[in-house]
Amino acid sequence: MKQHATIRGEVTYREGDGMPIAIPEGPVELVHAPDSVTLSWTADNDAAGLAAMPRDQYELYVNAGKILPQEGHAEEGHVAPASA
């Protein structure tokens, strides 16, 4: 299911065992899966970004106010899970 959100503050992801990579502040699109959330965005230089993170890491960012999901904007027929 797709949902829109806004990144506020430092949110990072890792590619394999690499160093943390920052996701730029601003709008992102979320795709929820049972065990992960995929975030996609367009950077200031118009480069597309894509990152998958474990659901528990995503929930930590949401609870910290660093990822702000937009309520009521999930793709038709789907509802995003509520934050714990």
Side-chain angles (χ1 to χ4, degrees):
M1 97 183 94
K2 292 182 182 179
Q3 182 182 26
H4 295 278
T6 302
I7 302 295
R8 296 271 189 242
E10 184 177 348
V11 175
T12 63
Y13 70 99
R14 290 181 187 267
E15 291 183 358
D17 292 330
M19 296 294 292
I21 301 169
I23 298 173
E25 289 194 23
V28 294
E29 184 176 273
L30 308 173
V31 178
H32 295 268
D35 61 347
S36 64
V37 178
T38 301
L39 296 85
S40 59
W41 64 92
T42 303
D44 289 338
N45 63 358
D46 290 329
L50 183 70
M53 67 175 56
R55 182 167 291 281
D56 59 343
Q57 181 183 11
Y58 166 79
E59 291 294 338
L60 288 172
Y61 283 127
V62 170
N63 291 334
K66 294 182 177 186
I67 297 178
L68 306 170
Q70 294 180 4
E71 297 298 324
H73 289 85
E75 189 173 89
E76 183 179 321
H78 300 282
V79 177
S83 297

